[in-house]
């Protein structure tokens, strides 16, 4: 079987999500998680948060971007519907995958902005 992961970090992220959700969603696969997170990636590119040509050279790491979880959810569920996959990817499953991905990013410090204080 071909390795679907581009990086070791991506592999860890997908496995984290799968392990968190496997008890509730017995048929969930790494490929399912990849499908949803690829749509999230497409959203980031579409919104200009990621420039595909510059992914390797991301130098503006200090630039903060507001990510709106509701917008991402709406974008992903819309794409799932367009792809005709709403039977497999219910709104609840999509929400759970996105929540686990956010949790993973929080735990690993991906979303760190250097200012954890609350106003």
């Amino acid at each position: 079987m071909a390795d679907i992961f581009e990086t070791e970090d991506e592999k860890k992220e997908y496995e984290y999500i799968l392990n968190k959700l496997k008890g509730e969603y017995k048929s969930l696969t790494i490929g399912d998680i990849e499908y949803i997170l690829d749509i999230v990636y497409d959203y980031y590119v579409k919104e200009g948060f990621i420039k595909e040509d510059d992914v390797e050279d991301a130098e503006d790491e200090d630039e903060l971007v507001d990510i709106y979880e509701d917008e991402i959810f709406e974008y992903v569920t819309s794409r799932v519907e367009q792809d005709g996959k709403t039977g497999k990817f219910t709104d609840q499953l999509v929400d759970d995958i996105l929540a686990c991905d956010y949790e993973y990013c929080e735990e690993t410090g991906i979303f760190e902005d250097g200012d954890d204080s609350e106003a």
Side-chain angles (χ1 to χ4, degrees):
M1 181 173 157
D3 191 5
I4 66 167
F5 308 110
E6 291 185 27
T7 66
E8 186 63 29
D9 288 338
E10 186 177 80
K11 180 179 180 179
K12 288 177 186 175
E13 180 179 11
Y14 290 13
E15 289 175 345
Y16 175 91
I17 296 167
L18 183 64
N19 289 332
K20 284 288 221 178
L21 297 177
K22 194 65 174 172
E24 187 172 349
Y25 301 100
K26 304 255 188 255
S27 65
L28 189 66
T29 67
I30 291 284
D32 296 335
I33 295 164
E34 177 188 32
Y35 169 73
I36 296 299
L37 295 186
D38 280 352
I39 295 172
V40 172
Y41 179 85
D42 291 346
Y43 171 82
Y44 291 155
V45 170
K46 176 183 154 288
E47 293 298 316
F49 300 143
I50 297 174
K51 295 180 181 113
E52 286 194 81
D53 297 336
D54 299 334
V55 171
E56 302 273 333
D57 302 323
E59 292 182 20
D60 293 329
E61 292 181 21
D62 293 335
E63 185 177 324
L64 298 179
V65 175
D66 290 326
I67 303 292
Y68 299 102
E69 294 173 40
D70 291 343
E71 286 181 19
I72 294 171
F73 176 79
E74 291 298 322
Y75 183 82
V76 171
T77 55
S78 174
R79 281 278 305 275
V80 166
E81 186 175 332
Q82 288 173 3
D83 292 347
K85 296 185 179 217
T86 54
K88 178 166 180 104
F89 295 98
T90 63
D91 286 358
Q92 186 61 57
L93 174 56
V94 169
D95 191 49
D96 289 345
I97 290 172
L98 295 177
C100 285
D101 186 49
Y102 183 81
E103 182 180 297
Y104 176 82
C105 292
E106 283 283 308
E107 285 185 16
T108 58
I110 291 171
F111 292 147
E112 291 297 315
D113 63 10
D115 182 14
D116 291 336
S117 62
E118 303 243 350

